[in-house]
Amino acid sequence: MFKICPNCGAHNTATAKFCTRCGTSLAGVVATAETAVQSAQPTSENEASTANTAAVSEQSSVPGSLTSSSAQNQPVTPQQAQSQVTPPDNSQQQVPPQPASTQTQSQQTAQGPAPTAQPYQQADQTQQQAQTPPEEPNPTVEATKKYAGSYWRYLVDSIKHPATVTRPYHQYFGLTSLAITIVSLALTIALMTGSAVSSLPGAIASNVLMTFLKLVFLVAVLMIAVVAVYYLVVNGMLGDRRRSFLTFTTEYAFHCNWMVFFSVFTLLMQMLGMINIGSIFLIWLLLSLGSGLFVISGTYMLFTAQSTNRFDKIYAYLIVGILLVIVFLIIMTFGLSSILGGIGQGINDFGRSFNF
């Protein structure tokens, strides 16, 4: 039997009142048998090894100065003193922690080789592409494409059902149809006239060509004047004010858009050299059909108008006829004088070339 000092852990006799090592009072200490101490020794060793493992793991994350200071401030228990006296078992010794560099190398080895860096040239190209903003589409080109697509649908609808306008269209589609028709006819006449007078002197050829172009211009003015007369009668006399002049022109051209295809077809035949004596009849037939559709469209627009002032449409039609005759006379009076003057000048030039 012996007493264990609670301060230093020294073994004293069972009758000792003070520790022989540090002098601590042993009055309240109970004497302990030797067998009980030996049986408790493996447990204290296991606890000591567990405490050492925890201390090593804490030392890897906490600086050494903080660990040592905290260990000095904590009181020493009898079990800890016994574990310090008794050496730990060799089978439970802790492996010292590896340096950080060694751990990093082992992790890199386990993860495999690091990917190679991209070449500097490829990185520069990628940076330039990221800095360069994407090219924005040209708004004018996009608007033109959209207008052309909508106009083509307008033409297709007018060919399928020329008498029924099923949807509203762009207000400039009517002027576009008239412009295509006039330009196609002008180019056709210019090409035909140029090939016919190619053997004549240059001054005479240019004079004849200008005469035909003036005639085409007069036709264009006449077409616009016809549409304007029908619009004034429908809007003013019949009181149908649902449409503006441009919208009225678009619906007017909708009913006679076949003339666009006729004029373009004639121009293609002239450009490909397919116009000869046999095809002249076909050309005049197409031009006559286009002109007839143009006149019929005005009449159709007049009789399908919504009259709000109870003016009779037959009288309105007669008034339209009278106005068209007046417009035709005015245009031809001022236009034919210029055309006839050009033709006379061409004849005089032609006579001088042969010494007449």
Side-chain angles (χ1 to χ4, degrees):
M1 301 289 290
F2 57 89
K3 293 181 179 181
I4 300 175
C5 178
N7 184 25
C8 62
H11 292 199
N12 301 279
T13 60
T15 59
K17 296 182 179 181
F18 297 96
C19 179
T20 58
R21 178 181 297 179
C22 62
T24 303
S25 177
L26 302 176
V29 178
V30 181
T32 304
E34 185 178 0
T35 56
V37 174
Q38 290 179 356
S39 62
Q41 183 176 359
T43 305
S44 63
E45 291 178 355
N46 293 335
E47 292 177 356
S49 62
T50 305
N52 292 334
T53 305
V56 170
S57 61
E58 290 177 359
Q59 288 177 1
S60 62
S61 60
V62 180
S65 61
L66 297 177
T67 306
S68 61
S69 62
S70 63
Q72 291 177 2
N73 295 329
Q74 293 179 356
V76 179
T77 61
Q79 290 82 1
Q80 292 177 350
Q82 182 66 26
S83 63
Q84 292 177 0
V85 175
T86 305
D89 190 3
N90 294 332
S91 62
Q92 297 180 357
Q93 292 181 356
Q94 291 293 325
V95 179
Q98 297 180 356
S101 60
T102 308
Q103 293 179 0
T104 305
Q105 292 178 359
S106 61
Q107 291 178 0
Q108 292 179 356
T109 305
Q111 293 178 359
T116 58
Q118 296 181 352
Y120 291 105
Q121 183 177 2
Q122 184 176 359
D124 294 340
Q125 292 178 357
T126 305
Q127 186 176 4
Q128 291 177 0
Q129 291 178 359
Q131 294 178 356
T132 303
E135 296 183 358
E136 297 182 357
N138 192 340
T140 304
V141 176
E142 295 298 324
T144 303
K145 291 181 180 179
K146 184 178 180 180
Y147 184 87
S150 301
Y151 178 72
W152 176 253
R153 185 178 62 181
Y154 165 76
L155 287 178
V156 173
D157 293 343
S158 65
I159 297 302
K160 291 180 179 180
H161 303 285
T164 305
V165 181
T166 57
R167 68 183 74 179
Y169 296 99
H170 198 282
Q171 60 180 354
Y172 291 112
F173 283 173
L175 294 179
T176 303
S177 295
L178 295 179
I180 293 175
T181 303
I182 294 168
V183 171
S184 300
L185 292 176
L187 290 176
T188 302
I189 294 174
L191 292 175
M192 293 177 62
T193 306
S195 61
V197 300
S198 58
S199 58
L200 298 177
I204 299 176
S206 61
N207 194 355
V208 174
L209 182 60
M210 287 298 298
T211 301
F212 279 99
L213 291 179
K214 290 178 181 180
L215 181 61
V216 172
F217 176 76
L218 290 178
V219 172
V221 174
L222 182 61
M223 293 177 67
I224 298 298
V226 169
V227 177
V229 168
Y230 276 104
Y231 174 75
L232 290 175
V233 172
V234 170
N235 186 277
M237 294 184 178
L238 298 181
D240 187 358
R241 297 179 175 85
R242 296 173 299 166
R243 296 157 295 197
S244 63
F245 176 73
L246 293 177
T247 305
F248 184 87
T249 305
T250 298
E251 294 187 10
Y252 192 108
F254 185 90
H255 302 306
C256 58
N257 267 335
W258 269 110
M259 65 181 182
V260 177
F261 292 93
F262 293 159
S263 59
V264 172
F265 178 74
T266 304
L267 177 61
L268 291 177
M269 289 182 63
Q270 178 62 42
M271 294 176 64
L272 296 176
M274 299 174 59
I275 295 181
N276 48 33
I277 298 176
S279 61
I280 293 296
F281 176 76
L282 176 62
I283 293 175
W284 282 110
L285 177 63
L286 294 178
L287 294 178
S288 300
L289 289 175
S291 302
L293 284 174
F294 185 75
V295 176
I296 293 174
S297 297
T299 306
Y300 181 81
M301 291 286 291
L302 177 65
F303 282 97
T304 56
Q306 295 181 2
S307 180
T308 59
N309 52 11
R310 297 182 181 181
F311 192 86
D312 194 275
K313 294 180 179 180
I314 296 295
Y315 294 126
Y317 182 70
L318 293 177
I319 293 173
V320 166
I322 296 173
L323 292 176
L324 289 179
V325 170
I326 295 174
V327 170
F328 182 81
L329 291 176
I330 294 174
I331 293 176
M332 288 302 169
T333 300
F334 292 97
L336 284 180
S337 60
S338 178
I339 293 175
L340 293 176
I343 293 175
Q345 184 66 33
I347 294 175
N348 293 331
D349 294 339
F350 183 76
R352 293 194 192 94
S353 62
F354 288 97
N355 296 324
F356 286 167

